[in-house]
């Protein structure tokens, strides 16, 4: 199987061109290639496929083999891949995902994509959209008890479920200890991605993320979008925020009038290669 290793702000995936490759068991292959000791090493695998309703379709699999609906960092890398590999010459493309068709604007320098702006669509706030077991029409600054301590969370769907928690210091927050308990909390029937956010100013924040199926990743595009939506809903920031992640920065704009979230950030190719997956792709 030919592959390309790419990352968006350190959120790294193995990308496979399924216009040329056929993968029969993507869940098993994702687990195999994601292993950082025995495989390539990544947060998961993303397949770039033909689409009947958009320019391209992406299918994403987490490191544990579970299929995700959407990946904000991943979709930026899809845009870079298809342009840099001559699969399109358009600088405005559409990509089909399990959470709908997304529209991307590409910034090109010296024939290569360096920056991608993504229309991430409207955030889902109703409990059933996330899903989270809660009453009312939205979950904003609601209590949740984890390991005997009460936190306050705001729940947002950006095509996948997010719980945003505000903390005083992201750097020293015990993410590896707390994250798994949020992910598997009984309030979230499909598990949840959890973002821990430190407000720096009305236009700037730090964020760390525990992603379901992958653990801590260096960035999460949908999670960064969800975090800014939560910031705005709780009155903590303005509608445009520069978010500092472990792997880099993303700029998020929550247009409340249009009920649309825009994400702008980099996409980077690391290396290309081939790997034998015949023993797991059965």
């Amino acid at each position: 199987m030919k592959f390309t290793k790419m990352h968006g702000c350190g959120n790294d995936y193995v990308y496979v061109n399924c216009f040329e490759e056929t993968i029969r068991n993507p869940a098993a292959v994702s687990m195999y290639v994601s292993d950082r000791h025995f495989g390539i090493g990544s947060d998961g695998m993303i397949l770039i496929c033909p689409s009947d309703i958009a320019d391209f379709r992406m299918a994403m699999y987490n490191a544990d083999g579970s299929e995700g609906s959407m990946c904000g960092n991943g979709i930026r890398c899809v845009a870079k891949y298809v342009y840099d590999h001559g699969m399109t010459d358009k600088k405005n493309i559409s990509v089909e995902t399990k959470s709908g068709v997304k529209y991307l604007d590409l910034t090109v320098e010296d024939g290569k994509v360096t920056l991608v702006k993504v229309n991430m669509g409207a955030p889902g706030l109703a409990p059933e959209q996330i899903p989270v077991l809660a009453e009312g029409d939205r979950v904003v600054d609601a209590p949740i008890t984890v390991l005997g301590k009460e936190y306050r969370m705001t729940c947002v769907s950006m095509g996948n479920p997010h719980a945003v928690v505000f903390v005083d210091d992201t750097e020293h927050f015990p993410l590896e200890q707390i994250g798994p308990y949020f992910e598997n909390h009984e309030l979230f029937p499909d598990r949840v991605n959890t973002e821990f956010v430190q407000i720096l100013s009305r236009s700037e924040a730090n964020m760390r993320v525990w992603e379901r199926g992958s653990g801590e990743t260096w960035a999460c595009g949908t999670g960064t979008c969800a975090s800014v939506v939560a910031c705005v809903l709780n009155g903590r920031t303005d509608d445009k925020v520069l978010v500092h992640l472990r792997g880099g920065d993303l700029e998020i704009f929550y247009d409340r009038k249009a009920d649309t979230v825009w994400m702008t950030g980099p996409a980077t190719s690391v290396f290309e290669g081939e790997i034998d997956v015949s023993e797991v792709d059965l």
Side-chain angles (χ1 to χ4, degrees):
M1 179 186 81
K2 294 181 179 179
F3 70 89
T4 301
K5 174 77 176 285
M6 307 181 74
H7 76 86
C9 293
N11 190 193
D12 60 336
Y13 288 87
V14 171
Y15 291 78
V16 181
N17 180 354
C18 287
F19 285 77
E20 300 176 351
E21 301 280 347
T22 299
I23 297 179
R24 293 179 293 273
N25 191 346
V29 174
S30 182
M31 294 173 65
Y32 179 67
V33 301
S34 297
D35 191 295
R36 296 190 184 275
H37 298 287
F38 299 102
I40 299 166
S42 65
D43 293 325
M45 180 177 70
I46 291 180
L47 310 181
I48 302 171
C49 311
S51 171
D52 294 329
I53 60 174
D55 295 319
F56 302 95
R57 179 174 66 88
M58 66 173 272
M60 69 153 300
Y61 293 84
N62 295 308
D64 68 351
S66 60
E67 186 174 4
S69 297
M70 174 58 186
C71 176
N73 291 311
I75 200 170
R76 295 200 314 277
C77 290
V78 168
K80 178 175 176 60
Y81 183 99
V82 297
Y83 188 91
D84 289 3
H85 285 78
M87 298 170 69
T88 183
D89 60 0
K90 298 194 299 183
K91 296 181 181 178
N92 306 98
I93 66 170
S94 57
V95 177
E96 177 188 356
T97 75
K98 286 193 72 176
S99 64
V101 176
K102 306 301 179 184
Y103 299 91
L104 299 82
D105 299 332
L106 284 56
T107 298
V108 177
E109 297 178 8
D110 298 324
K112 302 290 184 181
V113 171
T114 57
L115 204 65
V116 182
K117 181 179 180 181
V118 188
N119 181 336
M120 298 289 286
L125 301 176
E128 62 271 16
Q129 289 179 289
I130 289 156
V132 55
L133 303 179
E135 298 180 353
D137 60 352
R138 57 179 59 183
V139 180
V140 176
D141 194 34
I144 181 173
T145 301
V146 175
L147 291 179
K149 179 179 178 180
E150 182 178 286
Y151 297 85
R152 311 294 295 190
M153 67 176 181
T154 296
C155 296
V156 181
S157 173
M158 292 302 307
N160 47 14
H162 296 277
V164 180
V165 177
F166 295 104
V167 298
D168 293 331
D169 180 6
T170 53
E171 182 178 355
H172 297 100
F173 185 81
L175 184 66
E176 291 188 357
Q177 175 188 355
I178 301 297
Y181 291 92
F182 269 95
E183 176 183 354
N184 297 289
H185 198 282
E186 61 185 8
L187 291 180
F188 301 99
D190 293 340
R191 297 185 295 165
V192 75
N193 306 284
T194 311
E195 288 75 34
F196 299 91
V197 179
Q198 174 188 0
I199 303 299
L200 301 177
S201 71
R202 296 291 300 179
S203 60
E204 202 169 0
N206 290 334
M207 188 194 94
R208 289 176 67 190
V209 57
W210 184 271
E211 291 199 54
R212 59 175 182 172
S214 294
E216 182 176 15
T217 61
W218 281 44
C220 176
T222 57
T224 311
C225 293
S227 294
V228 172
V229 171
C231 287
V232 174
L233 292 178
N234 285 276
R236 292 175 177 263
T237 68
D238 298 330
D239 53 13
K240 182 178 288 187
V241 182
L242 180 66
V243 183
H244 305 293
L245 311 163
R246 290 196 69 184
D249 297 343
L250 291 175
E251 183 180 81
I252 311 297
F253 172 46
Y254 178 28
D255 186 343
R256 298 191 71 178
K257 290 184 179 179
D259 196 26
T260 300
V261 182
W262 296 87
M263 173 187 63
T264 303
T268 304
S269 294
V270 183
F271 63 89
E272 297 185 348
E274 294 186 28
I275 187 171
D276 184 359
V277 297
S278 57
E279 291 187 5
V280 295
D281 193 19
L282 301 174

